[in-house]
């Protein structure tokens, strides 16, 4: 039970519904719909153990469970409706080891968010848009809209005022707390009246929050104005590129990449972010002939930071956003026409020596002590053996 859901609408229900749900169940559904949409969840049936919600219960969170407000906890009674303030909602179902009942059924759908203002947290900048119709309804023109840094001007179109705000410029403030790195700025909409002021100023506070598993994006209005809240969720933008030598100066742009057995393969993982205070680490790389299946027939090159192939080597990188490594082509390639790589990359806060990026090889399966790190999967390939290549090599 549980899992990630990305359809625009659907049904959730307890295991075996309408039969009795099992004991000791713990199911979690993450519903993520399109950007600038919200999730509406309506319960149609709830029959559970008790009205105190201590033993069996349903929890609804306004985003990821570990970092978002609890919207409600249910086990019986009326059938409420919940609306998220973002494009993500989490539903958790828990049962204990005692009695079991029919459980629950709920329906969810996505609804458009308010489009007066929108915000996207892109890899290098915040993309904030203010509707000119909204400005006009409040008695303002596009020429009255500025940032903290007046030198950073927006692009004005017939319908919108558009800001592309870098994470390391234009007055953007960077703050750290226990579980996020926050990038914030303020779009100011001010009246030009000096002697008699009839309109209140509007401040649109913009914030992109880097959480453990997602970008959380917030935009809200203050100063006694109509509150506007925009949240979006996304992922780090990362890729892996082949290079022709340990100098890492010439990319291999051909696809597929034709190689000889025992040829050295040089790879560079790259994080695309304007924040200089992040670091990349190669945690795991697995080879497989099937880009959709890295379990049935797979070969570990490095796992949990520990080399599994004797030819695996890391290289010094002059930039923290890059991680460089190499390994040799292996006999695995002589039995399959194409080979793909799936690498799990970890992004950590620069200088956080408790994080995964600084601990290197680890065989213990314990919770990371660092509050900020994210794992991203990248698949590259195919790699193909060059026709006529030697058949000798180290067996995988």
């Amino acid at each position: 039970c549980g899992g990630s859901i990305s359809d625009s609408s659907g049904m959730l229900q307890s295991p075996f519904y309408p039969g009795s749900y099992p004991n000791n169940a713990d199911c979690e559904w993450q519903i993520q719909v399109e950007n600038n949409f919200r999730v509406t969840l309506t319960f149609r049936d709830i029959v559970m153990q008790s009205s105190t919600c201590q033993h069996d219960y349903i929890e609804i969170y306004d985003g990821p469970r570990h970092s978002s407000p609890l919207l409600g906890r249910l086990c019986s009674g009326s059938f409420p409706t919940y609306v998220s303030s973002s494009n993500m909602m989490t539903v958790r179902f828990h049962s204990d080891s005692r009695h079991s009942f029919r459980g629950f059924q709920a329906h969810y759908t996505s609804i458009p968010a308010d489009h007066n203002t929108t915000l996207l947290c892109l890899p290098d900048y915040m993309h904030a848009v203010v509707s000119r119709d909204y400005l006009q309804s409040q008695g303002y023109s596009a020429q009255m809209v500025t940032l903290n840094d007046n030198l950073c001007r927006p692009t004005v179109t017939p319908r919108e005022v558009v800001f592309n705000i870098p994470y390391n410029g234009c007055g953007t403030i960077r703050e750290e707390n226990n579980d996020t790195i926050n990038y914030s700025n303020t779009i100011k909409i001010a009246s030009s009246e000096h002697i008699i002021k009839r309109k209140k100023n509007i401040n649109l506070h913009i914030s992109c929050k880097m959480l453990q598993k997602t970008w959380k994006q917030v935009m809200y209005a203050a100063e006694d104005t109509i509150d506007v809240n925009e949240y979006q969720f996304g992922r780090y933008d990362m890729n892996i590129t082949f290079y022709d030598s340990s100098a890492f100066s010439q990319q291999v742009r051909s696809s597929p990449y034709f190689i000889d057995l025992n040829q050295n393969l040089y790879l560079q993982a790259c994080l695309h972010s304007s924040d200089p205070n992040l670091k990349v680490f190669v945690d795991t790389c697995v080879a497989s002939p099937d880009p959709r299946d890295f379990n049935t027939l797979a070969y570990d090159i490095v796992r949990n930071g520990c080399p599994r192939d004797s030819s695996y080597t890391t290289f010094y990188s002059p930039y923290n956003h890059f991680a460089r490594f190499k390994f040799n082509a292996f006999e695995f390639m002589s039995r399959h026409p194409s080979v793909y790589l799936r690498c799990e990359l970890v992004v950590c806060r620069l200088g956080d020596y408790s994080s995964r990026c600084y601990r290197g090889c680890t065989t213990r399966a314990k919770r990371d002590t660092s509050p900020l790190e994210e794992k991203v999967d990248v698949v590259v390939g195919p790699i193909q053996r060059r026709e006529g290549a030697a058949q000798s090599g180290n067996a995988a």
Side-chain angles (χ1 to χ4, degrees):
C1 60
S4 298
I5 302 172
S6 58
D7 294 334
S8 59
S9 63
M11 192 78 69
L12 301 182
Q13 58 190 30
S14 51
F16 308 133
Y17 179 90
S20 296
Y21 53 76
N23 292 326
N24 301 313
D26 206 356
C27 312
E28 184 174 311
W29 294 268
Q30 269 198 349
I31 307 169
Q32 182 174 348
V33 296
E34 290 183 51
N35 288 348
N36 299 313
F37 278 75
R38 307 200 192 289
V39 182
T40 298
L41 180 72
T42 302
F43 285 86
R44 296 178 171 178
D45 188 19
I46 306 175
V47 180
M48 300 176 70
Q49 182 172 347
S50 71
S51 60
T52 61
C53 299
Q54 295 298 313
H55 306 290
D56 300 351
Y57 53 83
I58 310 156
E59 292 177 330
I60 301 93
Y61 292 87
D62 192 14
R65 179 163 71 95
H66 295 292
S67 58
S68 302
L70 178 67
L71 296 177
R73 176 184 267 206
L74 307 171
C75 57
S76 63
S78 60
F79 302 155
T81 295
Y82 295 93
V83 180
S84 67
S85 59
S86 69
N87 66 328
M88 181 179 283
M89 177 184 285
T90 300
V91 180
R92 181 191 179 207
F93 168 70
H94 174 81
S95 66
D96 67 4
S97 59
R98 294 192 281 182
H99 309 291
S100 64
F101 294 84
R102 186 167 71 232
F104 78 92
Q105 185 181 71
H107 178 264
Y108 79 89
T109 187
S110 59
I111 58 175
D114 180 6
H115 292 297
N116 289 333
T117 60
T118 58
L119 174 68
L120 293 176
C121 293
L122 301 175
D124 293 318
Y125 57 88
M126 296 181 277
H127 179 74
V129 179
V130 183
S131 164
R132 294 189 66 176
D133 288 341
Y134 169 70
L135 293 174
Q136 186 174 3
S137 70
Q138 301 299 314
Y140 293 100
S141 68
Q143 287 68 37
M144 299 176 180
V145 184
T146 61
L147 271 183
N148 275 342
D149 185 345
N150 290 328
L151 297 179
C152 295
R153 303 298 302 170
T155 299
V156 179
T157 71
R159 293 189 175 186
E160 299 170 332
V161 178
V162 182
F163 285 94
N164 290 326
I165 309 166
Y167 294 119
N168 60 343
C170 289
T172 299
I173 299 171
R174 182 182 187 274
E175 298 175 312
E176 297 182 11
N177 59 32
N178 289 334
D179 61 355
T180 61
I181 293 180
N182 302 336
Y183 304 94
S184 59
N185 209 310
T186 303
I187 297 176
K188 299 179 178 180
I189 308 170
S191 172
S192 59
E193 300 167 352
H194 298 291
I195 300 175
I196 300 176
K197 186 173 182 179
R198 296 183 176 87
K199 296 192 291 290
K200 289 183 177 292
N201 293 339
I202 299 176
N203 290 335
L204 298 175
H205 300 284
I206 300 168
S207 179
C208 288
K209 299 183 178 181
M210 177 57 199
L211 302 175
Q212 282 191 331
K213 289 293 182 182
T214 181
W215 279 96
K216 181 179 180 182
Q217 306 166 40
V218 185
M219 189 178 196
Y220 65 94
E223 302 289 331
D224 296 326
T225 65
I226 300 172
D227 284 342
V228 180
N229 293 279
E230 295 292 343
Y231 302 81
Q232 308 299 328
F233 293 84
R235 299 289 182 186
Y236 272 125
D237 182 13
M238 303 187 70
N239 69 343
I240 293 180
T241 307
F242 288 103
Y243 281 80
D244 65 353
S245 73
S246 59
F248 291 93
S249 58
Q250 187 68 39
Q251 290 186 19
V252 175
R253 301 187 181 277
S254 59
S255 181
Y257 180 20
F258 291 97
I259 62 169
D260 298 316
L261 294 181
N262 288 322
Q263 176 181 331
N264 284 332
L265 301 180
Y266 300 94
L267 298 95
Q268 176 175 274
C270 178
L271 165 66
H272 299 281
S273 173
S274 62
D275 183 358
N277 297 294
L278 299 175
K279 180 177 175 62
V280 177
F281 175 73
V282 180
D283 183 88
T284 298
C285 272
V286 180
S288 169
D290 186 346
R292 297 170 300 277
D293 182 2
F294 286 87
N295 296 308
T296 305
L297 184 59
Y299 174 68
D300 283 357
I301 298 167
V302 57
R303 183 168 290 277
N304 299 324
C306 304
R308 295 293 183 86
D309 183 281
S310 60
S311 68
Y312 178 82
T313 304
T314 59
F315 291 87
Y316 165 79
S317 172
Y319 305 104
N320 293 308
H321 285 192
F322 295 159
R324 295 172 171 178
F325 60 101
K326 72 98 173 170
F327 62 93
N328 291 352
F330 35 84
E331 188 66 22
F332 193 81
M333 297 243 8
S334 68
R335 302 193 298 271
H336 304 281
S338 299
V339 170
Y340 297 81
L341 301 177
R342 186 183 72 181
C343 296
E344 187 175 73
L345 310 174
V346 181
V347 183
C348 312
R349 183 187 295 124
L350 184 63
D352 182 359
Y353 294 99
S354 67
S355 69
R356 184 73 193 85
C357 296
Y358 289 89
R359 295 205 309 271
C361 174
T362 177
T363 57
R364 291 182 297 173
K366 69 173 185 176
R367 183 175 177 85
D368 292 320
T369 57
S370 172
L372 174 72
E373 57 188 57
E374 177 183 349
K375 293 185 177 180
V376 180
D377 279 343
V378 179
V379 176
V380 292
I383 311 166
Q384 294 185 0
R385 186 168 59 88
R386 184 177 291 111
E387 291 298 327
Q391 295 299 312
S392 61
N394 296 326

